[in-house]
C-alpha cells in the first residue's frame, strides 16, 4: 500500500511517487505515477500536483530523446497547487514525463516513466464491483491471461472516509501497474476489481490501444455515501447520517466516500465511468433511488467536467450493472424495485433522465453456491461482456445490439383472454408460467396473478390472462428477487443472447382513457 499520512481527516504530504531531487512539498498528485494511462485525443490530459507558492513549474513530455511538448505554469498561492493541460495526444507510448520546479535558486525535478495515452475508465460501487479476479469463475485461467494485455494498466484506491472533500487521495492500495496474477487477484474484496478488469480487457480487444482502469469501490455501501450533498439535497434525502439496515455493512454517512474516494480524482481527464451498486439501498431510501442515482450521475459529470478544465466530456458515458439475483428469506419486491429505479423508472437506458448511459442486465446470472453468498455471483465475465457492448454503442458509437428486447406495444384481446406484447427486437423464448404477472382489480382491490406465456413469434408474445375476472390494470415481467435460474430466463435476443430486462407497465385503454375491463 502506498499511504500518505492521514490523521484526523487531514491529508499530509505523500511519499513521493516518482524520482525527485526536490523538497517533498513539490510532487505530482497521488495518482500520477509510473505506468499510468492518460486520456488520449480529442481531450487533453490534466497533469497537476503541489509545489512552493509562486514557483514556476515546467512539464515536459518526452519520447526517447525527442521533446513532444512543454507546458509552463506557476504554483497558486492559496492552494500550493499547479496544473497544466497537455495537448491532445494520439493513443500509444511509452512516454516519460518530467516536471521541474524553479523558485529562486531552488530547483526540483519529478519524473514518471512508461506513460501511455489511451482511454481512462473509473470503476466504482460496492462489493460486486470490489470482487477481485481471484473470486470469480475460472479464476486461475483469468489470472494467467495477462501477457497480451500489458497496455491495460490498473490502479486501485484505498478504503478511506472523509468528512470534507479532499483534493488528493489520502491512500492508494495499488499504484498504476501492468497487470499480473498478483495484482489482479491480491485477495478477497481488495484489488483488482474483476468487473473493471474484464471490461477493460474487452475494450482493449476491440480498440487495440491502451486502457487505464481506476477502481474505487467499497462493499456494503449505499449511494448516499458516494454522493455529494448536491444530489442528496435535490432528491430530498433525509439528513440522518447513519442507517441500521442489514443491507448496509460499510460506511453510510452522507458523502464520506465521495469526499475521500471520488472527489480527489475529479481533476483527471476521463473517458467514462462504470458502476455496480444498489444492493445496500434495498432497505435504505429505496423509494428515492430513482432520483438519487440519476442525480449522482449528473453531479459526477458536472464535477469531473469542471475539475478537468472542460477536458472530460460534460456528459461522459456512464455504464452500470442492473442488480443480479439474491436468495432472500422473504419474497418481497424490494430488489425488483431497485432494478426499476436504476433506470429512473423507464426500464431501459439511455432515456430522457439518464442520457448517454448504458446498462448490463444481470438478473439471470444467479449463483446459488457462491462461497461469498448468493448476492455475490461469480460470473463477472458475462457482466463485463454485456457492459462492454453498451460502451461500444454509447461511448464509441458502434452500431450494434447492446440491450435485450423490451415491449413497445401492448394489445388487449379481452374476448380471447390474451394480452399481446410486441417487442422492439426479435425474441427467443421458452415458455414459463409465472414470470409474467398481471394486476387484476375487483371491488377496489388489486392482486397480482400469473399470466402464462401462451404463444410467441419472432417479435410478439401472447400472455394468457383468463385468470383475471375484473379490471386489468398492469403487467410486469421478472418482478422478483430471483426471476430465473442461471441464463434460463424465458426471453433473450436470439443473436446477442442479451436478456429482456424486467419491466412494469400500466394497461390504460387509449381509446376510452380508462382501464380495460375483461368479461366475466
Amino acid at each position: 500500500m502506498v499511504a500518505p499520512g492521514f490523521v484526523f481527516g487531514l491529508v499530509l504530504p505523500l511519499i513521493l511517487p516518482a524520482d525527485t531531487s526536490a523538497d517533498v512539498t513539490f510532487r505530482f498528485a497521488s495518482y500520477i505515477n509510473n505506468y499510468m494511462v492518460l486520456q488520449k485525443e480529442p481531450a487533453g490530459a490534466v497533469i497537476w500536483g503541489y509545489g512552493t507558492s509562486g514557483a514556476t513549474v515546467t512539464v515536459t513530455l518526452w519520447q526517447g530523446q525527442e521533446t513532444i511538448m512543454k507546458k509552463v505554469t506557476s504554483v497558486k498561492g492559496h492552494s500550493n497547487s499547479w496544473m497544466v493541460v497537455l495537448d491532445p495526444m494520439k493513443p500509444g507510448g511509452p512516454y516519460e514525463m518530467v516536471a521541474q520546479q524553479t523558485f529562486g535558486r531552488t530547483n526540483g525535478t519529478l519524473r514518471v516513466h512508461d506513460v501511455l495515452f489511451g482511454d481512462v475508465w473509473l470503476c466504482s460501487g460496492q462489493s460486486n464491483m470490489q470482487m477481485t479476479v481471484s473470486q470469480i469463475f475460472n479464476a486461475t485461467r483469468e489470472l494467467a491471461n495477462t501477457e497480451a494485455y500489458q497496455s491495460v494498466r490498473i490502479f486501485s484506491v484505498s478504503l478511506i472516509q472523509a468528512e470534507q472533500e479532499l483534493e488528493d487521495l489520502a491512500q492508494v492500495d495499488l499504484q498504476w501497474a501492468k497487470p499480473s496474477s498478483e495484482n489482479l487477484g491480491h485477495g478477497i474484496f481488495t484489488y483488482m476489481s474483476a468487473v473493471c478488469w474484464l471490461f477493460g480487457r474487452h475494450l482493449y480487444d476491440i480498440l487495440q490501444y491502451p486502457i487505464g482502469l481506476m477502481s474505487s469501490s467499497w462493499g456494503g455501501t449505499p449511494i448516499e455515501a458516494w454522493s455529494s450533498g448536491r444530489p442528496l439535497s435535490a432528491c430530498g434525502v433525509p439528513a440522518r447520517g447513519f442507517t441500521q439496515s442489514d443491507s448496509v455493512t460499510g460506511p453510510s454517512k452522507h458523502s464520506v466516500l465521495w469526499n475521500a474516494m471520488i472527489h480527489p480524482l475529479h481533476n483527471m481527464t476521463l473517458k467514462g465511468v462504470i458502476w455496480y451498486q444498489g444492493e445496500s439501498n434495498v432497505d435504505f431510501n429505496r423509494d428515492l433511488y430513482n432520483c438519487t442515482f440519476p442525480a449522482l450521475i449528473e453531479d459526477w459529470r458536472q464535477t469531473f467536467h469542471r475539475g478537468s478544465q472542460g477536458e472530460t466530456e460534460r456528459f461522459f458515458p456512464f455504464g452500470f450493472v442492473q442488480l443480479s439475483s439474491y436468495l432472500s428469506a422473504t419474497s418481497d419486491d424490494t430488489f425488483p424495485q431497485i432494478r426499476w429505479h436504476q433506470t429512473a423508472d423507464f426500464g431501459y437506458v439511455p432515456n430522457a433522465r439518464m442520457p448517454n448511459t448504458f446498462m448490463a442486465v444481470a438478473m439471470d446470472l444467479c449463483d446459488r453456491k457462491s462461497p461469498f453468498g448468493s448476492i455475490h455471483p461469480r460470473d463477472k465475465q458475462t457482466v463485463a461482456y454485456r457492459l462492454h457492448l453498451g460502451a461500444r454503442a454509447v461511448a464509441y458509437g458502434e452500431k450494434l445490439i447492446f440491450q435485450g428486447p423490451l415491449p413497445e406495444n401492448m394489445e388487449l384481446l379481452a374476448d380471447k383472454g390474451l394480452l399481446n406484447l410486441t417487442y422492439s427486437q426479435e425474441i427467443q423464448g421458452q415458455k414459463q408460467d409465472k414470470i409474467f404477472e398481471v394486476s387484476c382489480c375487483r371491488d377496489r382491490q388489486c392482486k397480482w396473478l400469473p399470466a402464462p406465456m401462451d404463444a410467441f413469434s419472432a417479435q410478439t408474445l401472447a400472455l394468457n390472462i383468463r385468470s383475471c375476472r375484473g379490471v386489468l390494470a398492469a403487467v410486469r415481467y421478472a418482478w422478483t428477487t430471483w426471476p430465473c435460474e442461471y441464463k434460463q430466463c424465458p426471453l433473450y435476443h436470439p443473436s446477442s443472447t442479451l436478456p429482456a430486462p424486467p419491466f412494469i407497465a400500466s394497461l390504460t385503454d387509449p381509446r376510452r382513457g380508462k382501464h380495460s375491463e375483461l368479461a366475466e
Side-chain angles (χ1 to χ4, degrees), residues 126-198:
Q126 54 181 110
S127 54
N128 270 304
M129 182 62 83
Q130 199 178 13
M131 283 179 73
T132 69
V133 180
S134 64
Q135 294 178 261
I136 65 175
F137 285 137
N138 301 313
T140 302
R141 185 182 68 190
E142 299 291 6
L143 289 169
N145 187 16
T146 61
E147 185 175 348
Y149 299 101
Q150 294 300 293
S151 291
V152 181
R153 306 291 173 81
I154 57 177
F155 176 98
S156 189
V157 177
S158 294
L159 309 187
I160 293 291
Q161 306 175 58
E163 294 294 324
Q164 302 294 329
E165 289 181 346
L166 305 183
E167 291 304 313
D168 198 10
L169 293 171
Q171 290 185 353
V172 174
D173 269 357
L174 176 66
Q175 262 297 355
W176 284 104
K178 297 179 180 181
S180 68
S181 59
E182 290 75 20
N183 57 33
L184 288 177
H186 181 72
I188 305 300
F189 297 110
T190 52
Y191 59 83
M192 176 64 180
S193 162
V195 170
C196 190
W197 163 249
L198 295 168

Side-chain angles (χ1 to χ4, degrees), residues 90-119:
K90 293 185 181 298
Y95 296 90
E96 181 180 39
M97 187 164 58
V98 178
Q100 294 175 303
Q101 177 180 262
T102 304
F103 187 71
R105 297 182 179 179
T106 305
N107 298 316
T109 302
L110 305 170
R111 291 182 175 87
V112 291
H113 63 82
D114 202 345
V115 175
L116 305 178
F117 285 85
D119 282 340

Side-chain angles (χ1 to χ4, degrees), residues 342-506:
Q342 285 181 291
T343 67
D345 298 350
F346 279 77
Y348 59 89
V349 297
N351 59 53
R353 290 186 59 202
M354 300 175 67
N356 218 33
T357 58
F358 54 95
M359 174 177 75
V361 175
M363 66 180 183
D364 65 330
L365 303 180
C366 50
D367 188 354
R368 290 180 180 272
K369 298 180 180 180
S370 172
F372 314 106
S374 63
I375 203 167
H376 298 121
R378 289 167 289 175
D379 182 0
K380 295 299 191 275
Q381 290 90 337
T382 303
V383 169
Y385 175 77
R386 292 174 181 175
L387 266 180
H388 109 282
L389 289 179
R392 287 168 63 182
V394 173
Y396 297 99
E398 276 194 62
K399 300 297 183 184
L400 52 75
I401 293 172
F402 66 99
Q403 52 192 351
L406 269 171
E408 58 183 3
N409 186 50
M410 304 184 194
E411 182 184 12
L412 179 62
L413 305 176
D415 56 331
K416 297 181 179 179
L418 296 175
L419 178 65
N420 273 358
L421 308 181
T422 302
Y423 279 80
S424 57
Q425 305 169 357
E426 287 188 53
I427 55 175
Q428 175 179 297
Q430 56 182 1
K431 290 185 179 181
Q432 288 190 20
D433 290 340
K434 296 182 179 180
I435 199 162
F436 279 96
E437 297 172 294
V438 290
S439 177
C440 189
C441 303
R442 189 171 185 177
D443 299 330
R444 299 183 179 179
Q445 291 187 335
C446 297
K447 183 179 182 181
W448 287 102
L449 300 174
M453 297 168 64
D454 189 272
F456 53 85
S457 61
Q459 286 186 243
T460 61
L461 169 65
L463 301 179
N464 183 332
I465 53 173
R466 296 183 184 92
S467 61
C468 179
R469 300 295 181 179
V471 175
L472 195 67
V475 60
R476 66 189 188 185
Y477 170 71
W479 206 261
T480 180
T481 303
W482 191 282
C484 59
E485 293 304 314
Y486 181 74
K487 293 188 177 180
Q488 292 297 314
C489 278
L491 294 176
Y492 290 83
H493 182 269
S495 61
S496 69
T497 66
L498 293 173
F503 75 87
I504 186 168
S506 63

Side-chain angles (χ1 to χ4, degrees), residues 217-295:
S217 51
W218 193 328
T221 52
I223 196 170
E224 290 78 5
W226 296 101
S227 305
S228 77
R230 294 177 294 272
L232 298 181
S233 176
C235 294
V237 177
R240 70 187 184 277
F242 297 92
T243 176
Q244 300 300 318
S245 169
D246 291 340
S247 64
V248 178
T249 58
S252 64
K253 194 173 183 181
H254 291 181
S255 306
V256 291
L257 303 184
W258 159 261
N259 291 339
M261 298 177 66
I262 300 298
H263 186 267
L265 305 173
H266 78 288
N267 290 340
M268 189 169 194
T269 311
L270 296 179
K271 175 64 176 181
V273 170
I274 58 171
W275 171 262
Y276 197 157
Q277 191 277 334
E279 298 92 340
S280 286
N281 284 98
V282 166
D283 297 315
F284 182 51
N285 292 332
R286 177 180 64 254
D287 293 341
L288 295 176
Y289 204 88
N290 58 357
C291 179
T292 52
F293 185 37

